[in-house]
Amino acid sequence: MAFDYSKINLASFKAIFKASFKIKEAFNLIAKSLEQLLEQRQDHFLIPAELVANVQETNHLDHAFLVLTKVRYSKIPVLDKQQHFKGLLSLAMLTETMLGMNGIDPSTLARHQVAEVMQTDVPTIRLPYDIEEILHLLVDQPFLVVVDENKIFTGIVTRREIIKSFNYAAHQLDQEFEITAKNLKLIN
């Protein structure tokens, strides 16, 4: 029976990683071993751009609303016509645009472009991946945008894929490395 990754909530995910970073130098050998196992799975991290729904920064918000509704994602990347990453757009941003003094007015969506409401302060990552950076960023993000050196959108790395890789590493660690117990003091 497969593990249901959707049952892991953000609070649990944060607690696991915060606890793991409180361990001092004595755990470096295991950390290096774990890092090696995760690096073996790096080809599984990326969901390529061709498979990720996106919108253009010049699209009107009514089009973006249809895309977000159909793909059932909470956020999607925003690109320019040359496929450069420009930001993220969420359903909440669209809803905020529709809210008026007299209630919800969906007709406002046709009068605005994605560039007017998108989030632009978004962390991005590049190949080769820095696993520690990915872990830190995924604590607060459901996915990370991957760009090349020219800011061309190449895909996303999701929290789900990283958790799956950790699951793999947890099951492989003692099969590929000799692990011995040490007397350690955890620092609070």
Side-chain angles (χ1 to χ4, degrees):
M1 186 165 146
F3 182 76
D4 185 0
Y5 294 98
S6 66
K7 301 255 189 259
I8 296 178
N9 64 28
L10 183 58
S12 298
F13 189 75
K14 283 183 178 180
I16 290 167
F17 286 107
K18 283 183 180 177
S20 70
F21 290 116
K22 289 183 180 180
I23 299 172
K24 274 289 218 184
E25 294 294 318
F27 258 80
N28 276 350
L29 177 62
I30 291 177
K32 294 292 182 201
S33 304
L34 183 59
E35 187 173 2
Q36 286 176 11
L37 286 172
L38 290 172
E39 285 173 355
Q40 290 174 12
R41 307 263 312 164
Q42 278 193 13
D43 58 329
H44 295 271
F45 292 179
L46 183 72
I47 298 173
E50 306 82 56
L51 301 178
V52 178
N54 65 74
V55 291
Q56 300 285 310
E57 63 183 341
T58 55
N59 289 144
H60 285 95
L61 295 181
D62 54 350
H63 171 75
F65 181 75
L66 290 173
V67 173
L68 275 164
T69 302
K70 288 292 183 188
V71 298
R72 296 184 173 172
Y73 293 153
S74 59
K75 282 187 179 180
I76 56 174
V78 177
L79 310 176
D80 67 12
K81 292 187 187 306
Q82 293 78 38
Q83 303 300 300
H84 294 101
F85 174 72
K86 294 298 183 176
L88 294 175
L89 183 71
S90 71
L91 211 44
M93 293 170 195
L94 298 177
T95 305
E96 180 70 26
T97 304
M98 287 189 285
L99 293 177
M101 298 300 259
N102 298 324
I104 297 174
D105 181 8
S107 68
T108 60
L109 296 179
R111 295 190 299 265
H112 297 281
Q113 290 186 335
V114 169
E116 297 172 46
V117 299
M118 69 183 182
Q119 175 188 359
T120 57
D121 60 335
V122 179
T124 60
I125 58 173
R126 291 187 4 193
L127 287 171
Y129 298 129
D130 178 342
I131 293 177
E132 190 168 339
E133 177 187 19
I134 289 173
L135 294 176
H136 286 295
L137 291 171
L138 281 177
V139 168
D140 296 318
Q141 312 287 334
F143 66 88
L144 299 173
V145 174
V146 182
V147 296
D148 69 9
E149 61 279 352
N150 298 314
K151 301 274 187 195
I152 300 290
F153 176 64
T154 59
I156 60 173
V157 171
T158 64
R159 186 184 298 147
R160 180 180 191 272
E161 291 303 318
I162 297 298
I163 291 172
K164 284 170 50 178
S165 292
F166 259 92
N167 186 41
Y168 165 81
H171 288 91
Q172 291 296 117
L173 190 60
D174 64 345
Q175 293 177 20
E176 295 194 28
F177 296 93
E178 186 174 322
I179 301 171
T180 57
K182 295 181 180 184
N183 292 329
L184 298 175
K185 291 183 181 179
L186 294 181
I187 298 172
N188 291 328

